Amino acid sequence: MADIVEKFGQIVNKEIPKNPDTARKELLFAYKAFNVKLKHAPDKRLPKSRQYMSTVCMNEHIKSFSNVGDSAMVSIFLPCEVLRAMDISTVFAEGFSAYITGAYAERPMIEAAEAAGIAETYCSYHKILMGAAFSKVLPKPKFIINTSIVCDANNLTFRALADYYDVPQFYIDVPTDTEEDSVKYVTDQLREMTKFIEKNTGRKLDEDKLKACVARTRDSIANFKKCMELKKDKYLPGDITSEMYEVFLTHTLFGTEETLKYSEMLLEDLKNAEPKKGIRLLWMHTIPYFQAPLRERLNFSEKCQIITCDTNFENFVDIDPEKPYESMARKMVLSSYNGPSENRINKAAEVAKYLDVDGVIYFCHWGCKQTMGAAVNAKKKLEEAGFPTLVLNGDGGDRRNTSDGQVLTRLDAFIEMLEDMKK
């Protein structure tokens, strides 16, 4: 299958510079064809919840990519319950670019971005998104909404794309302190964001629908917390692609019926799962799910498994559907990704202890200055907390910045060390 996909990517790559519309149609055809496989011939090694999740994410990607003109382009940390209540799909850098890389189509888009002056050291997720725009594979969205949380690229990419597409942009400034004044400040901005969306869509938000979406977010978070409790003592077969898929459901798809259903299914799968076994890892940052050594060592392995990824629990806060805007604001302000890197490191240590993991992999994704800059401090603090930590350099979007040999050597040595410590 991988060889077929790679050959398909080579065909699409030739079309992108010359015929971007054709390339886009070819990509959509491939995604739709693969979605048929996911629905009718899923990987039986995956639990039912993870099989379901793969189709949910693919459906969302196909819907937004095939109808970008009626979709919103957003940053990953934007609460999207207002958009979901108004039936507006979303495009976000990490999700869109992961699917492009999965189709082996990232290179011409990265080259298009670099040809337009984007630095080689820029985040590849954002570079692929910008290159898709500059190469005209990705049509312009209805509008753009982004936040200030964490990522330098969030503050640059979306402003540049708003100018390039000539579409309206709304920016949400999130203070780095966690005081109630910060929550109120962001709440006021979210109310203004709703007016912005209404103005640019010609639709009126139904507040009852918004409250229903926020209620689903509350219930989903409650289920995910119960799942975390079960993960302490359970082994659920899985792959690293599923951990990356989950980023959709714990971010832009929060508030949907699909995320709630997935959380219920995952909870049921964990209740029926086998007792824990092997080396248990907590992963920090995004996952280069396409990289062969990681897939070989971590997919469906009883010897070593990723139990959770810190991107998928950074916003588990208390939610009140009767106060939807305050609840959405709280998700951003109290995110462990917001503020100094110690917030994220301390949260990872807390969850690692709760889940009784054996070690942590801290992934320094190419171009992510915040993650790379905190690597030494993260390793020091996590190991002081009792969790051996492997700092792994790589790229979640651009295959050119990955080294299979180095990753395999370091990962094997790390797993062997954890096994010896466990004995």
Side-chain angles (χ1 to χ4, degrees):
M1 175 61 78
D3 290 341
I4 295 173
V5 177
E6 186 172 0
K7 288 178 181 177
F8 167 78
Q10 292 170 358
I11 295 171
V12 172
N13 289 347
K14 292 178 182 178
E15 292 291 346
I16 288 173
K18 302 179 297 181
N19 303 299
D21 286 342
T22 300
R24 179 166 166 266
K25 290 174 183 176
E26 289 173 344
L27 283 166
L28 279 167
F29 175 81
Y31 293 136
K32 290 174 181 177
F34 193 69
N35 203 24
V36 172
K37 177 196 175 298
L38 291 175
K39 290 177 180 176
H40 300 290
D43 191 330
K44 297 296 185 181
R45 295 172 296 176
L46 285 170
K48 293 293 185 182
S49 58
R50 296 284 171 84
Q51 293 178 29
Y52 172 71
M53 177 174 63
S54 66
T55 63
V56 168
C57 295
M58 183 63 87
N59 285 339
E60 172 67 8
H61 176 66
I62 291 170
K63 182 179 179 182
S64 61
F65 192 22
S66 61
N67 195 22
V68 182
D70 285 326
S71 299
M73 184 176 287
V74 302
S75 60
I76 186 173
F77 296 106
L78 176 77
C80 292
E81 284 85 351
V82 172
L83 294 166
R84 297 302 167 185
M86 299 175 75
D87 195 27
I88 300 172
S89 293
T90 59
V91 176
F92 69 105
E94 293 79 5
F96 175 83
S97 299
Y99 273 109
I100 294 296
T101 300
Y104 284 82
E106 78 275 11
R107 177 166 290 189
M109 298 186 190
I110 289 170
E111 290 172 350
E114 291 177 352
I118 304 303
E120 184 182 345
T121 55
Y122 201 64
C123 169
S124 57
Y125 291 120
H126 284 256
K127 197 154 48 173
I128 292 169
L129 182 69
M130 297 180 84
F134 298 157
S135 63
K136 303 192 185 305
V137 172
L138 185 66
K140 69 178 181 180
K142 178 75 79 175
F143 48 79
I144 294 173
I145 306 176
N146 64 293
T147 77
S148 62
I149 294 181
V150 181
C151 180
D152 286 345
N154 281 339
N155 293 309
L156 301 172
T157 298
F158 298 105
R159 183 173 62 199
L161 288 177
D163 290 342
Y164 174 77
Y165 283 129
D166 191 25
V167 296
Q169 178 195 13
F170 191 90
Y171 179 77
I172 298 177
D173 175 43
V174 183
T176 56
D177 63 74
T178 58
E179 304 298 325
E180 281 302 310
D181 284 348
S182 297
V183 175
K184 183 180 183 306
Y185 174 63
V186 175
T187 297
D188 291 342
Q189 292 179 76
L190 288 170
R191 293 184 188 279
E192 289 301 314
M193 179 194 75
T194 299
K195 294 177 184 177
F196 167 86
I197 296 170
E198 289 177 332
K199 176 182 176 182
N200 285 285
T201 60
R203 308 179 203 171
K204 185 71 175 174
L205 172 66
D206 184 329
E207 292 287 340
D208 289 335
K209 286 186 178 180
L210 174 59
K211 290 179 180 179
C213 283
V214 174
R216 285 192 287 270
T217 296
R218 176 200 60 194
D219 295 343
S220 299
I221 289 175
N223 287 335
F224 285 135
K225 286 182 175 179
K226 292 175 184 175
C227 289
M228 294 283 271
E229 185 175 348
L230 288 170
K231 284 181 180 181
K232 288 189 292 186
D233 302 304
K234 296 288 189 175
Y235 167 79
L236 190 68
D239 61 351
I240 57 176
T241 303
S242 294
E243 291 297 326
M244 193 64 185
Y245 277 141
E246 202 164 272
V247 172
F248 277 82
L249 283 84
T250 57
H251 291 83
T252 59
L253 284 170
F254 252 147
T256 63
E257 293 178 0
E258 289 82 0
T259 293
L260 179 57
K261 180 178 177 179
Y262 167 70
S263 70
E264 294 167 345
M265 292 177 70
L266 181 62
L267 185 57
E268 193 62 28
D269 282 336
L270 281 163
K271 287 177 180 177
N272 297 316
E274 298 178 27
K276 65 181 179 182
K277 61 184 76 175
I279 298 300
R280 296 156 55 82
L281 300 172
L282 184 149
W283 185 282
M284 294 185 69
H285 208 58
T286 54
I287 301 177
Y289 68 93
F290 56 84
Q291 196 162 10
L294 294 175
R295 298 172 68 89
E296 291 166 5
R297 293 296 185 267
L298 302 176
N299 280 4
F300 309 107
S301 172
E302 295 186 3
K303 178 180 177 181
C304 186
Q305 183 186 42
I306 296 174
I307 305 302
T308 190
C309 171
D310 78 324
T311 313
N312 286 326
F313 57 73
E314 52 85 18
N315 58 5
F316 288 179
V317 301
D318 292 336
I319 300 291
D320 181 357
E322 293 304 312
K323 296 180 179 179
Y325 294 100
E326 290 85 347
S327 295
M328 291 185 291
R330 204 170 294 279
K331 271 202 294 173
M332 286 192 283
V333 172
L334 299 183
S335 166
S336 59
Y337 274 55
N338 189 33
S341 60
E342 281 76 6
N343 292 350
R344 185 178 173 192
I345 297 167
N346 292 339
K347 185 66 176 180
E350 173 192 328
V351 173
K353 182 177 181 181
Y354 183 76
L355 293 179
D356 189 28
V357 302
D358 299 297
V360 176
I361 295 182
Y362 186 96
F363 182 59
C364 289
H365 164 69
W366 178 270
C368 185
K369 298 177 181 63
Q370 287 80 358
T371 301
M372 296 172 75
V376 173
N377 190 37
K379 180 176 174 65
K380 178 176 180 290
K381 288 186 174 295
L382 287 165
E383 292 189 339
E384 286 175 352
F387 301 103
T389 300
L390 171 64
V391 176
L392 201 60
N393 297 317
D395 198 317
D398 186 352
R399 287 180 173 83
R400 296 177 302 177
N401 297 324
T402 60
S403 172
D404 285 355
Q406 184 184 81
V407 166
L408 182 60
T409 300
R410 298 190 67 212
L411 181 61
D412 279 349
F414 186 60
I415 294 171
E416 184 177 346
M417 180 190 75
L418 294 177
E419 286 176 333
D420 289 342
M421 292 175 67
K422 200 161 187 175
K423 290 176 184 176

